[in-house]
Structure formats: C-alpha cells, structure tokens
Amino acid sequence: MAPLKSWLQINAKSHFSLHNIPFGIISTPDTPEPHAAVAIGEYALDLQVFSQQNGFSALSIIQPHQKVFSEPTLNAFAALGRPIHRVVREYLQSVFLDNGPFPDVLEKNEQLRKAALLPLKDCKMHLPMFIHDYTDFYAGLNHAYNVGVLFRGPQNALQPNYKHLPVGYHGRASSVVVSSTPIRRPNGQILTNLAAEKKEPVFSECKKLDIELELGCFVCKPSQLGEPVRIEDAPEHLFGVVLLNDWSARDIQAWEYVPLGPFNAKNFGTTISAWVVLMDALEPFANAGMANDTELLPYLDEKDRKSNYAIDLSVSLTTSSGKTTNIGKTSAKNLLFSFPQMLAHHTIGGCPFNVGDLLGSGTISGESKNEKGCLLEQTDNGKTEITLEGGEKRKFLENGDTVTLTGVCGSEEGALVGFGDCVGRIDPAVQLSF
Amino acid sequence: MASGSWLSIPKGSHFSLANIPFGIISTPPSVAKHAAVAIGDHVLDLHEFASHQGFAELQDFPPDHLATFSQPTLNDFAALGQDAHARVRRYLQEIFAQESAFPGLLKDNNEVQRASLFRNDEVELHLPMKIGGYTDFFAGKNHAYNCGCIFRDPAKALQPNYLQLPVAYNSRASSVVPSGTHIHRPLGQFLSTPGAVESSFGPCRRLDIELELGALLCKGNKLGEPINVNEAESNIFGFVLLNDWSARDIQAWEAVPLGPFNAKTFATSISPWIVLKGALEPFHAVGILNETKLHPYLREVRKNNVYDIKLEVELKTSDGETAILSRTNGSNLVYSFAQMIAHHTIGGCPLEVGDLIGSGTISGLEPGTLGSFLEASEGGKRSFDVSSTSQRTFLEDGDCVTIRGWCGEDDSNTVGFGECSGTILPALKPSWLET
C-alpha cells in the first residue's frame, strides 16, 4: 500500500512512520511521573495529556479505560487486549493522517499539540512494562549451531533436543533495563586455564564481555497455573516486540553453567529498546521463519500461520574515541521458533503467565561472517579479531564501548516500522575489596 | 524464653511464643488479604489488632508502619527492616505472655479478641509475599553427590565448579504457590527410552519432590552493587519450607545446555508462615564442611552459618496410607544463604524485597534421609516401600506430600514452619490437545 502521509512533518526514513505507532513510557520535566506515550516521527504523543484533554473523545471504546495512560507502565493498557490495542492504534493513525477524519482532535488544535506533542529528545524513557518473569529462548539456529561448532565440533553442534522444542532458560527480570542504562562489567569466577586437570578459577573482572542481538516480546494476556496456552490462541497473548541485548560474560558462563545453565553470566544486565512495536504494526512483515526439518508435536504446530517477522537488524559499536563501526547485520527471519511457539512450549506443563512477562528470542545470526549476532561467533571465541573504523581491534567489549542495536521492517520510505535504538555503554567493573 | 502464654498453646506446637511467624490471611469478616501471625492453634489478625489499638504500647511505630499490616503482602512490612521486625515480634511475645505487661490490649480484652484472634481453621492462607524473582540454588551437597552418582562415576559425581561457587539457576516466580495448592501432573516432552531419536509427549512419568528451605528477602541492592557476604544476613526477612516439584523425564530431555525449565515451572510450593530470621537465632549450626579455599567474596566470618532444622517428608497415598519417607536436617548445606546472596549479586545482579532464594534439595547420605524420589529410588531403578503394601519410584496421582520443619528440643518453645503440602492431581488434558 502507498505510505500513509501525516500532516505532521515526518522524515521519510523515520522508523516511527505512521505505519508504526509504538508505545512507551516517558517522563518530562513538566510531568515527572512516568506515563504512556506513542512515538511518531521525532515526537512523542503524551497519552496522559492527550487523554486528559479529551483527545480520545471520538473513540468511545477507550473512554472507560483512559486511566491506563497515566499508569507508570503499559501493563494495564496491554491487559485491555489485542482488539483494544488495534483500535487505539488505528485511531491514533487516523488522528495523524493527512486529510484524516479527525482534524479537530490534534491537527487543528494548537493548544493540545503544544501540550501533548513533545520532541523525543525532551523525553526520558523508562522500562515500558513491569516484568514479572523474563525467559530467554535460544531459537536462533545459526547462533546455536555456530556456538556448538566452537565447543563441540560440527557433528555435535546442535543438541538432540534443539529442533524438537524451543530450548530456553529463565532470565533475571530484575536485571532488565531500558536502553541507555550503563552496564557495569561484572566481576566473577573465571577459569583461565580450561585444560588444567585441577580446576582453579580466579576471581576477576569479566574479560570476555559480549553482546547478544535478540528480539523481546511482551505478553498481554495472563494464563493460569495448570492451563497451557493453545498454539492457535497464543498470538492474542502477545502485545508487542522490542530489541533486546542479552549482555553476556562468556568466561563467567563457561565455569558456572554446568549443570544448571547460565546465571551470573547474564544477570548483571539485559537491555531492551524503549518503544514497544505492537504486533499489528509487524503484521505486514510476517513470514514463516526458518524451516524445521523435524516434525513438531501438535502443541507446537502452527501449520501455515506466519509468526516470524522480516526485521532487518543491525549492530554497531562506538568506541570511547567516538568512532562507530557496523559490526553485524542480519534478519529476524533467522529464528527456528516463533514467539507463539515459545509461549505454547513455556505453558505446556502449566506454568502461569502474567501481563508484562518478557520472552527473549535468543541470539539471531545469519549464515555468513558479517551476520553474527554476538562477538563469540564473530571472533571464534576470541581466536580472531574484528577491526573497527580507525583501526582499533576487538575480540570482546572494552570499557567505554557503546553497542547499539537497531531494527526496522520494510524498505519503503515513509512506511518504515522500526524499534528505535537499544543502547548500552560498558562501564568499568566495580573495584571490590574484601 | 521462660514464660508461657495466657492463650492455650499445645505442647509441641510449631507456633510457640518463641516463634511468631508472619503470614497473609483472609477471614470471613475481612476478605481482603492482610497480615497475621500464628500462635499455637490460633492466628492474630494484625490488621484488626492494629485497628483496635493493639499496638498502642509499641514505641516508634508510626501509623504508616502499622498500615503495612493492612497490605495484601508482607513486602512493605519486610522493607521496614530487621530492627522493626524484631521489635514487633518482641512486642507480640509480650502481648501473649502469661504475665503480659499490657493485658488490657488483648489478654483481658474480649472485644479485641473477638475481632482479631481466630482459630487457624477459620482463616484462609495466601502467598505471604509478592515474589519478583525466585532463584534456586543447589547447596545440598549430599543431594548433588547422590544425583551425580546416578549419572556418573562417583569420583566425578560433583562437577568441578560445585565446591567453588554456589551453583544456581533462575526459576519462575509466577509458579510459586502456597501450601495446599493442588498440583496437576505436567504434560511435556521427554524421551521414553534413553537414546530414543523421537521425543514422546504426554503426562510426566517421573514426577518428583525436592525438599528445600526458602529465604525471603527484606532488602535488596542496586544494579551493579554486590552484597557483601558478611552483611548479607541483614537482607533476609525469614524462611519457609519449599517443595521444588520436579518432572525428571522432562528435565532430562530439555536441560542441556541451558538448565532445568519446564521441569520446574509447573509449580513450586512454599509453606505459608514465614519464620523470621530472629526466631532462628538460637539454632545456628555449622553446615557441611567445604574443604575448598573459597574466594574472598564467599568467605563468611560466621562459621555456624546454617540452621539446625529438623526436616521430614511425609507421603499420604490416595488410599489414606501415610509414611514418613525421609528425616533429615536443614544444616545439610555446603553454602549458607548469605553466601548464596553474595554469589548472586557478585556481578551486580539486583535483588529486591520479596525475592525468594531456594537452598537446593536437602538430603543426608543414607536411605530414609533423602530429599527427592530420584535419590530414594536410585534414579528410578528400584522402588522403595511406603507401607507393607505400597511402593514408589516416583509420585503417583493422588499422592499428597507434606514437608515439615522445626527447631528446638523444648516442646514449649518449638520454632517451626508448619507444613508445606501438595496433592498430585492427574494431568489436565485440554480437549484441543492430541496426545
């Protein structure tokens, strides 16, 4: 379809075109309590102000629920369910549409425009949802294969279970932070000599600090203890998608993770982008994801439904000297399992879900050298180096490095649906004295 | 604690005046959840007691502190800190003391008694805290060793990291449920025979328990700021019993390389009454010796850093037969909760009020002291007797497992946890699910 045009000046390359309308939580000097907003072009539409000043007067279905926009998280809005999200998003698109049906709401309402349409640069972003539980999956098959080759060789790269079920582990919800939060290099126990007979770890700062390029998906509909979510119904449980950087301490991970999985290697910080792109905004970009040559059990079988999304993903690294290098580009098509499949698997034994729960996709990598979603893969576990703009080398992250994940769907200018940035800068480790 | 109570407290009650554990109740007159303490076979409703001036003689406890007793979880009360907890506990001991210094507030006050003192069968118990994060450790060395022997050569039973750091995994906070919650046998994927190439799907066939202790936190830390091991005890509100129900067949198929997942998330039960840290002070004990020289961040000055808690596991079958399957002790841990907290935060992970820390399965080394069916059945290889007519390898539908724990030899001053129980119901098979 032709790009939707707005009366508001929106840059043709903006990730926040009228086709998007992502939701987030902002605060401003004038309204310091966090509250809801949507992003449009270079602006945030402050939904608390908009709703309080009758911006939703033409949308009767939201009338009884408008308090949700003054809440400090999007959980209450998400809990209203997909049909309401759809209608609110479409209404806001109409409000911003050039020659649209509601010109008096905002376009011609200078007072409301001044009060509610705020430059994004003047807004502080907050975690968009209250996260009860966060689960990280491992559905990036190329990543799982590449890492498996590094540690076990090609024959045993993927575990026998890998294609049968979306393997996952519980992450630490308390360590999920919003984009731009600095990330401290963790200290921990590290086995420097893996081959030694007697395992004597040292205690030091992490020396193999890595990123993981992932997507995150938020849940908007709860499930009860003992009641699996049917795969057919799973999409209505999903609110929207963010970018997710699952910062990883590879050396801490190698020593701690047998037999219970990664722990301190992950829980020092996980960054998500601030604007939640609603499932409806992603729908035009749906595709089937990677083919699975294993026959899936019925509870995981999506049949012909397309629940993967063609999102172009990119990772760049900015050093403390200010030079930025693109260090990877790939596509979110490179996932073997979809978010509905992850939810169906996660609940099959009866695990209950809450609104706001977060699912991580797992590291997304393509097949070629420049499509790796983590440094572990890019440098073959530190055996080779990558070269940055200006000549600096990297095996793993250094203090002062800032990593930026970006993602965008589509290529048609004026119709891009993107996620904004998922950013984090590495700060030095705490100096500990005992 | 010499004095008895004016309230009749049965001998051997877990809820003697030496205890005063905190929980969350609802009652017919007050259906909204709120705080209470357990005393003998009774429950003192703290919301009602506060609104009837019961706390009039408690110094330095302003209205906003009292208001925490009207909250639906104990998180706000816990956040007041251990000094506040200790003062409230001492005050309530005085309220119930035979020679109470404040008899007019409850002992001699029929109206307040009618409003705030209930028999324990008159109240409903709920999850006592809002749990933002639940981490399960693996510090029961005998359990780790026994399980290792099932899968490996005993010389390699423990992984190389085991004695160097308290191994743990994040578990699922949403599946923590109060004692008494029925547990449906989970559905899942598993290999029906070892080495099968196709996975099977259906109700778990190796359903198990895990006898553990849980610590609930009253204080957290900021992202990036580790908690010092010698200060970590001040982060603990109190303790509960914990049953980390486990689906062993689902676990075996899913757990490599990222750890147990659906094997655990179908339910974890905790006992309803939180025994405050202060109540366990007399029962500090030395745990399992760790001969490894620990890294400084784990070196705890206190040597008696675990607790002498008598633990037992009882099974009741659907035929009504009961048997004590296991008796062991809470000191069978090679790491303390303080060490678990220090390790958990060493990289900067933030903990919060209400977080739950599981100790890991607690076992002795001998039959009859084991904290899981996996160990008692030697990996499912042999069944063990429950009675003269029943055996078990793993749990059957209709089984009710009850964990009990208590401290002290003097049956007028027992400090106990009550019960953590759950009954296994058949797998729920939704009509839409082909199995």
Side-chain angles (χ1 to χ4, degrees):
Chain A
M1 65 177 282
L4 298 171
K5 195 173 176 315
S6 175
W7 48 264
L8 184 68
Q9 174 79 303
I10 300 177
N11 188 302
K13 290 187 166 49
S14 173
H15 287 193
F16 301 144
S17 72
L18 207 42
H19 291 257
N20 192 350
I21 315 286
F23 285 69
I25 293 289
I26 67 168
S27 64
T28 66
D30 287 340
T31 51
E33 294 301 318
H35 54 281
V38 292
I40 179 115
E42 288 164 37
Y43 291 89
L45 178 70
D46 185 321
L47 292 178
Q48 178 177 257
V49 170
F50 186 72
S51 61
Q52 283 170 350
Q53 297 194 27
N54 266 321
F56 285 109
S57 54
L59 188 64
S60 57
I61 195 170
I62 200 67
Q63 294 300 321
H65 307 292
Q66 292 189 86
K67 284 205 314 287
V68 302
F69 299 122
S70 305
E71 294 277 315
T73 71
L74 294 171
N75 290 45
F77 174 64
L80 295 175
R82 296 266 321 250
I84 294 205
H85 313 155
R86 179 167 303 128
V87 161
V88 169
R89 181 172 162 269
E90 286 173 358
Y91 174 77
L92 291 172
Q93 286 177 313
S94 303
V95 165
F96 280 97
L97 195 62
D98 194 33
N99 295 317
F102 306 117
D104 295 330
V105 170
L106 198 63
E107 181 185 359
K108 295 189 171 30
N109 186 338
E110 186 183 345
Q111 190 271 325
L112 187 56
R113 281 203 323 274
K114 273 205 172 65
L117 209 50
L118 311 169
L120 280 173
K121 61 177 171 50
D122 295 343
C123 300
K124 179 171 177 200
M125 302 309 302
H126 301 264
L127 260 189
M129 298 195 79
F130 176 77
I131 302 165
H132 291 264
D133 283 286
Y134 155 49
T135 307
D136 200 26
F137 283 89
Y138 193 38
L141 185 149
N142 299 319
H143 165 75
Y145 179 78
N146 292 339
V147 169
V149 168
L150 280 174
F151 295 114
R152 284 182 292 281
Q155 286 290 70
N156 298 312
L158 292 179
Q159 300 290 345
N161 58 17
Y162 185 84
K163 292 185 180 178
H164 291 265
L165 55 86
V167 178
Y169 69 98
H170 307 290
R172 178 72 194 182
S174 69
S175 53
V176 179
V177 297
V178 77
S179 180
S180 294
T181 306
I183 300 292
R184 264 202 189 287
R185 178 181 298 274
N187 291 304
Q189 290 194 27
I190 293 163
L191 198 61
T192 44
N193 188 352
L194 284 152
E197 173 69 29
K198 191 160 190 289
K199 309 290 186 198
E200 280 169 340
V202 302
F203 181 82
S204 81
E205 61 176 36
C206 164
K207 303 228 162 87
K208 291 183 156 193
L209 190 54
D210 201 354
I211 60 166
E212 287 198 340
L213 165 64
E214 304 194 23
L215 296 178
C217 186
F218 281 109
V219 164
C220 60
K221 184 168 161 177
S223 69
Q224 303 308 312
L225 185 80
E227 295 178 15
V229 173
R230 185 176 182 177
I231 186 80
E232 284 88 349
D233 299 335
E236 75 193 43
H237 287 251
L238 302 178
F239 178 51
V241 176
V242 292
L243 301 173
L244 186 151
N245 187 343
D246 181 22
W247 308 92
S248 302
R250 300 295 183 196
D251 40 9
I252 292 173
Q253 184 172 355
W255 175 229
E256 73 179 354
Y257 88 105
V258 179
L260 299 177
F263 183 66
N264 281 345
K266 305 286 191 168
N267 63 23
F268 59 94
T270 298
T271 303
I272 62 170
S273 52
W275 294 102
V276 182
V277 176
L278 296 202
M279 305 313 290
D280 285 332
L282 294 174
E283 203 44 48
F285 310 100
N287 75 89
M290 298 179 87
N292 193 340
D293 54 17
T294 300
E295 190 179 343
L296 288 176
L297 287 159
Y299 81 97
L300 286 173
D301 185 1
E302 285 199 279
K303 304 192 171 52
D304 295 324
R305 186 173 65 200
K306 299 181 164 64
S307 301
N308 180 283
Y309 300 102
I311 307 172
D312 295 321
L313 299 166
S314 177
V315 184
S316 62
L317 192 156
T318 305
T319 64
S320 48
S321 62
K323 294 198 173 58
T324 299
T325 311
N326 183 284
I327 62 170
K329 276 191 204 301
T330 185
S331 166
K333 289 191 210 174
N334 286 313
L335 288 169
L336 186 65
F337 293 103
S338 67
F339 287 119
Q341 288 174 314
M342 293 174 208
L343 184 63
H345 179 66
H346 205 320
T347 58
I348 192 61
C351 177
F353 263 74
N354 287 294
V355 175
D357 283 347
L358 177 63
L359 306 171
S361 63
T363 310
I364 300 170
S365 295
E367 287 182 39
S368 72
K369 188 174 177 6
N370 298 329
E371 291 185 71
K372 309 263 170 89
C374 66
L375 294 170
L376 182 71
E377 292 168 78
Q378 290 193 20
T379 69
D380 281 335
N381 195 13
K383 283 215 271 308
T384 61
E385 290 175 315
I386 59 174
T387 305
L388 305 177
E389 297 292 323
E392 277 188 69
K393 310 268 194 211
R394 287 289 185 274
K395 294 186 179 188
F396 289 99
L397 296 172
E398 301 202 356
N399 292 341
D401 284 350
T402 296
V403 175
T404 303
L405 309 183
T406 57
V408 66
C409 303
S411 50
E412 191 176 7
E413 296 205 338
L416 299 179
V417 174
F419 295 78
D421 292 344
C422 177
V423 181
R425 182 194 70 231
I426 298 301
D427 280 354
V430 176
Q431 295 295 311
L432 294 170
S433 56
F434 298 103
Chain B
M1 175 84 221
S3 142
S5 176
W6 50 264
L7 183 68
S8 173
I9 299 179
K11 278 241 178 297
S13 170
H14 286 198
F15 307 136
S16 71
L17 276 197
N19 191 350
I20 318 283
F22 284 67
I24 289 288
I25 65 170
S26 57
T27 65
S30 310
V31 298
K33 297 177 196 169
H34 53 280
V37 292
I39 308 263
D41 291 342
H42 289 79
V43 167
L44 180 69
D45 182 324
L46 295 180
H47 160 77
E48 289 295 344
F49 191 58
S51 62
H52 285 81
Q53 280 72 55
F55 287 97
E57 295 292 340
L58 177 60
Q59 307 303 318
D60 299 322
F61 209 75
D64 66 332
H65 285 24
L66 284 175
T68 64
F69 296 138
S70 307
Q71 292 295 310
T73 70
L74 291 169
N75 290 44
D76 287 349
F77 174 65
L80 297 178
Q82 286 178 346
D83 284 344
H85 313 154
R87 288 194 302 110
V88 171
R89 199 170 146 262
R90 266 200 305 279
Y91 179 82
L92 292 172
Q93 287 172 326
E94 190 56 52
I95 288 288
F96 281 98
Q98 181 68 54
E99 303 301 325
S100 173
F102 318 121
L105 294 177
L106 191 66
K107 175 182 173 186
D108 298 336
N109 192 326
N110 287 333
E111 188 205 334
V112 178
Q113 282 194 27
R114 259 199 305 278
S116 60
L117 199 56
F118 294 86
R119 281 196 330 272
N120 58 19
D121 61 6
E122 291 177 306
V123 310
E124 195 181 336
L125 294 165
H126 304 277
L127 259 191
M129 294 191 88
K130 183 167 156 74
I131 298 167
Y134 159 41
T135 309
D136 200 27
F137 281 81
F138 191 36
K141 183 180 170 212
N142 300 324
H143 166 76
Y145 177 78
N146 293 340
C147 290
C149 289
I150 291 168
F151 300 114
R152 286 181 288 284
D153 165 9
K156 297 195 160 112
L158 295 178
Q159 298 290 345
N161 57 17
Y162 185 84
L163 292 175
Q164 297 271 5
L165 55 85
V167 179
Y169 67 101
N170 301 307
S171 195
R172 180 83 184 177
S174 72
S175 44
V176 179
V177 295
S179 173
T181 304
H182 292 318
I183 312 292
H184 284 282
R185 179 177 297 273
L187 297 168
Q189 285 195 37
F190 46 85
L191 295 184
S192 46
T193 55
V197 286
E198 292 303 318
S199 58
S200 306
F201 178 81
C204 159
R205 296 175 189 177
R206 301 181 121 207
L207 193 53
D208 202 353
I209 63 165
E210 287 198 340
L211 161 64
E212 306 195 21
L213 292 172
L216 287 153
L217 301 190
C218 59
K219 189 166 83 171
N221 60 305
K222 293 206 187 76
L223 184 78
E225 296 181 9
I227 296 174
N228 186 298
V229 70
N230 293 308
E231 292 163 12
E233 286 200 346
S234 70
N235 292 71
I236 298 175
F237 179 45
F239 300 90
V240 292
L241 303 171
L242 186 151
N243 186 343
D244 182 22
W245 307 94
S246 302
R248 299 296 181 197
D249 41 0
I250 292 172
Q251 184 172 355
W253 178 226
E254 72 181 356
V256 182
L258 299 177
F261 185 66
N262 280 346
K264 305 288 190 166
T265 59
F266 58 96
T268 299
S269 299
I270 62 170
S271 54
W273 294 105
I274 302 177
V275 176
L276 295 204
K277 186 173 173 309
L280 289 186
E281 281 311 311
F283 309 107
H284 276 288
V286 172
I288 298 177
L289 182 63
N290 189 344
E291 273 135 8
T292 309
K293 184 166 180 203
L294 290 171
H295 283 280
Y297 79 97
L298 289 172
R299 282 186 211 153
E300 198 176 358
V301 169
R302 183 200 269 283
K303 296 299 167 220
N304 58 346
N305 55 10
V306 298
Y307 295 103
D308 174 10
I309 304 174
K310 302 183 220 320
L311 296 167
E312 76 180 20
V313 178
E314 177 191 88
L315 176 71
K316 182 162 148 188
T317 70
S318 51
D319 299 325
E321 294 178 313
T322 60
I324 301 289
L325 296 185
S326 180
R327 290 195 172 89
T328 183
N329 195 291
S331 60
N332 276 327
L333 295 172
V334 74
Y335 294 104
S336 68
F337 282 104
Q339 289 170 315
M340 294 177 215
I341 289 168
H343 181 68
H344 201 327
T345 60
I346 191 59
C349 176
L351 299 180
E352 294 168 344
V353 177
D355 281 349
L356 174 63
I357 311 268
S359 62
T361 310
I362 297 172
S363 295
L365 284 167
E366 304 303 321
T369 70
L370 305 169
S372 68
F373 284 44
L374 184 71
E375 295 163 84
S377 70
E378 291 171 43
K381 286 209 283 289
R382 56 181 97 257
S383 55
F384 52 91
D385 288 329
V386 170
S387 72
S388 53
T389 50
S390 334
Q391 296 89 35
R392 288 287 184 275
T393 36
F394 288 101
L395 290 166
E396 298 194 3
D397 290 348
D399 284 350
C400 175
V401 176
T402 300
I403 297 175
R404 294 187 192 92
W406 67 96
C407 307
E409 306 295 338
D410 168 5
D411 63 7
S412 310
N413 285 308
T414 304
V415 175
F417 295 78
E419 295 185 346
C420 175
S421 71
T423 301
I424 299 299
L425 298 184
L428 273 176
K429 282 187 215 167
S431 55
W432 49 264
L433 200 56
E434 306 154 45
T435 53

